Amino acid sequence: MTPEPHRPTATGSQTGPGDGTPPPDLLLAEPDADLAAKVVARFAAAGVSTVVCRDGAEALLQLGVQHPGAVLLSAPLPVVSAAQVTALIARLHPVPVIVGAGPDGAEEATGAVAAGAVAFVARPYRAEEILPLLMPRLDTDAQARIVVGDVELDVAGFHVYVRGRSLQLPVREFLLLRYFMERSNKLISRQELTAALWGTEKPDSNTLTVHVRRVRNKIQEAGSCCTIDAIRGMGYRFECGPGACAETQSTPTSRPARAR
């Protein structure tokens, strides 16, 4: 027997459609009411209006009614799975989808990413990971595309391309690479990086080192001429070798067309 969908909970500044108010920034499909209330409060404090649904069927219904700017799906998701919802959103109402999962939802979240979700975040949710993914859509002045050397970031679409080929990065690594690329050739201290990306100047001493190493290795393994140099006792600097990048840019690899 299929459970009856719950009525959506509206939060933030929006109300129903047709009253002249803007659509919500986010539709959250989350069966845990307490968890939903906590993350919605964080979103509201950041100026993000949210509609909450309890299952996948309700999310699809409200997507067509509310026309949100983005969707955050829990995994696992009752009634209709996160992967199925993501695939239907891509066909019927294309908007960016973020999927959040704990250990019990990892397989379903992987299916959602394969179906077109732009990011996979941890559940219980950490607003500081999700909000940067929404900001390009909330800020009309946000830079939609960043290119440094042979690395390109599609900020709004949450895509990374190296020499025209797609490179998949987890949320934190994507945000770290974006921070570096927006400040290329500039020395950035460890304190600045940890404050910007973790909200503190004193995280686990190895956390930043590990994330920087992963990003550096991934872009270099993808054939990039860019690297992240560690400046002992001072911080890091994102640089691209001008000769290698010039050669790369003279023979670019064609990038596959993105689904709209």
Side-chain angles (χ1 to χ4, degrees), residues 42-160:
R42 295 288 304 276
F43 289 153
V48 176
S49 56
T50 309
V51 167
V52 178
C53 300
R54 301 297 182 218
D55 57 57
E58 184 185 354
L60 290 168
L61 174 64
Q62 291 303 319
L63 182 75
V65 174
Q66 302 286 348
H67 303 290
V71 176
L72 173 58
L73 302 175
S74 164
L77 191 62
V79 185
V80 182
S81 74
Q84 291 173 307
V85 171
T86 302
L88 287 168
I89 287 175
R91 286 174 48 200
L92 304 175
H93 301 282
V95 295
V97 176
I98 303 165
V99 60
D104 60 337
E107 183 176 352
E108 186 171 325
T110 300
V113 171
V118 300
F120 178 178
V121 298
R123 176 178 178 270
Y125 310 106
R126 298 171 61 181
E128 61 269 24
E129 284 192 344
I130 298 169
L131 286 170
L133 304 177
L134 303 178
M135 288 304 113
R137 298 169 183 91
L138 302 179
D139 181 2
T140 56
D141 295 327
Q143 189 175 2
R145 182 173 174 268
I146 305 171
V147 180
V148 179
D150 53 12
V151 182
E152 175 187 346
L153 257 69
D154 174 359
V155 177
F158 201 79
H159 295 292
V160 181

Side-chain angles (χ1 to χ4, degrees), residues 15 70 114-115 134 137 176 181-182 220 254 257:
T15 55
L134 303 178
R137 298 169 183 91
L176 180 61
M181 290 179 66
E182 289 176 333
Q220 292 189 329
S254 59

Side-chain angles (χ1 to χ4, degrees), residues 18-19 22 57 70 90 106 181 206 231 242:
D19 61 0
M181 290 179 66
N206 198 42
I231 312 301

